[in-house]
Amino acid sequence: MKIEKIGFIGTGTISEAMIRGLLAESPALLHVIVSPRSAEISQRLAAEFAEVSIAADNQSVIDQSDMVVLAFRPQIAQDVMSELKFRTGQSVLSVIAATDRQTLLGWIGVEVQLVQAIPLPFVARREGVTAIFPADNDVADLFSVLGTTVECDTKQEYDLLAAASSLMSTVLGIMDMSAAWLEDNGLAADKGRAYIAALFTSLSQTAMRSDVPLVDLSREFATKGGLNEQVLSDFKAKGGHDALISALDRVLRRIKGDTDT
Ligand SMILES: NC(=O)c1ccc[n+]([C@@H]2O[C@H](COP(=O)([O-])OP(=O)(O)OC[C@H]3O[C@@H](n4cnc5c(N)ncnc54)[C@H](OP(=O)(O)O)[C@@H]3O)[C@@H](O)[C@H]2O)c1
C-alpha cells in the first residue's frame, strides 16, 4: 500500500474496527496516529499495537499523517472541523454519515483529495465490503486490505449502497425471528441458531461465488410446488416484498436529505 501514515480523528467504534483490521495480522501500515478521544479506545490501541501513537490533539493528527480519516459523529462535525487546518492536496477520508461532499469541502476550505466511505464493522476481521466515492486508488487499496471495495462513480450509486448497508439489522432480525419461531415450536435455541446462521452463510456464499442473476438463483432453490416456493410466495403475497422496497425507498430519501422521511 502506498499510504504509510494514517491518522484518525475520532477514535470510536468504526476507527477501532479499521485499525484492528489494518494492524492485527501482517500490519498493512507503518504508523497509525489516533486522536486522544475516546481516551479509553486510543489508549487500548496504543498499548496493543506498536504502530499506534496518540496525538496531542486533532490538529496534530492532521500534521503527522499522509491520510486523515474523519470518524466522528455528524452532529459535532461542523464544530470539530471549524478548528482544523488541512494541507492543500492532503488525502482526507470521511466516514461521517449523512454529510455530503460539498459540505465537507466547504468546512475543509482548501483543495484536498477527499473521498467518502462506508466501512462496516466487519473490517475488523478484514471481511468488510466498503463503498467509496469517488473512485480513488489509495483508498481502494486501503479497503482492499480490509475486505473488498466497491468504487462508486456517482453520488447516486454511493447513496444507493448506503441504503443497502441499512439492511444489516433486518437480515439479522429475519434470522432472529426464524430462530425464535423454531424455539417456540420446541427446538433448542442453540440448535436453531446453529442451523439458521449456517443456512444464511451458505446462501451468501452461493450468491458470492455465482454470477447467475439473483432472481434465477432464488428460482433454482424454489422447486415447483415445493416448500421454498411456498414461503417466497407467502412472503410476497402478505406484503413482505412491498415492505422491503418501501423501507429502502424511505431510507434512500433520508440519506439524500429529504427531511419529511
Ligand atoms: N459504527 C459503524 O459501524 C459506522 C459505520 C460507518 C460509518 N460510521 C460513521 O462513523 C462516524 C463515527 O461512528 P462511530 O460508530 O465510530 O461513533 P463513536 O463510537 O461514537 O465514535 C465517535 C468518536 O468521536 C470522538 N469525538 C467526540 N468529540 C470529538 C472531538 N471533538 N474530536 C475528536 N474526536 C471526538 C468520540 O470520543 P468520546 O467518546 O470521548 O466522546 C468517539 O471516540 C459517524 O459519523 C458514523 O456515522 C459508523
Side-chain angles (χ1 to χ4, degrees), residues 1 4 42 65 71 73 80 172-173 244 246 259:
M1 218 168 47
E4 293 187 341
S42 55
S65 307
R73 295 190 175 181
V80 176
L172 285 169
L244 179 64
S246 90
T259 45

Side-chain angles (χ1 to χ4, degrees), residues 9-15 35 37-39 41 58 70-74 76 80 95-98 117-121 168:
I9 301 182
T11 318
T13 307
I14 203 64
S15 294
S35 64
R37 289 179 67 178
S38 304
I41 301 178
N58 292 341
L70 309 177
F72 34 82
R73 295 190 175 181
I76 59 160
V80 176
V95 303
I96 305 171
I118 315 166
L120 304 174
M168 291 189 292

Side-chain angles (χ1 to χ4, degrees), residues 90 134 147 196 231:
Q90 186 155 26
I196 292 290
V231 173

Side-chain angles (χ1 to χ4, degrees), residues 36-226:
R37 289 179 67 178
S38 304
E40 197 194 319
I41 301 178
S42 55
Q43 283 164 19
R44 182 165 67 222
L45 290 168
E48 214 170 308
F49 300 105
E51 295 86 355
V52 174
S53 65
I54 305 172
D57 53 29
N58 292 341
Q59 185 60 48
S60 159
V61 174
I62 298 177
D63 297 343
Q64 294 181 59
S65 307
D66 300 328
M67 179 188 285
V68 183
V69 183
L70 309 177
F72 34 82
R73 295 190 175 181
Q75 295 83 349
I76 59 160
Q78 186 165 12
D79 282 350
V80 176
M81 295 296 282
S82 68
E83 294 181 354
L84 301 177
K85 284 196 169 41
F86 293 81
R87 299 190 294 277
T88 302
Q90 186 155 26
S91 185
V92 180
L93 171 63
S94 170
V95 303
I96 305 171
T99 310
D100 70 23
R101 184 175 174 79
Q102 289 320 315
T103 306
L104 289 163
L105 286 172
W107 290 337
I108 291 170
V110 292
E111 290 246 333
V112 294
Q113 190 86 6
L114 174 68
V115 179
Q116 290 176 268
I118 315 166
L120 304 174
F122 319 112
V123 292
R125 293 192 310 270
R126 299 191 171 183
E127 291 171 359
V129 58
T130 305
I132 69 169
F133 171 68
D136 181 279
N137 288 342
D138 289 341
V139 175
D141 283 356
L142 178 82
F143 285 112
S144 298
V145 173
L146 297 173
T148 55
T149 315
V150 177
E151 297 186 67
C152 297
D153 294 323
T154 62
K155 181 172 183 305
Q156 171 71 359
E157 286 186 3
Y158 185 70
D159 287 348
L160 285 168
L161 293 181
S165 76
S166 65
L167 286 170
M168 291 189 292
S169 296
T170 305
V171 173
L172 285 169
I174 289 175
M175 292 170 74
D176 172 50
M177 286 179 252
S178 310
W181 176 85
L182 290 170
E183 194 179 358
D184 288 347
N185 283 281
L187 188 72
D190 57 343
K191 284 189 192 162
R193 185 188 170 131
Y195 190 89
I196 292 290
L199 179 66
F200 275 64
T201 303
S202 303
L203 291 167
S204 294
Q205 284 172 348
T206 301
M208 286 283 285
R209 285 195 202 107
S210 164
D211 45 19
V212 172
L214 290 174
V215 64
D216 296 334
L217 269 186
S218 172
R219 260 190 226 117
E220 272 178 30
F221 282 88
T223 315
K224 193 114 195 85

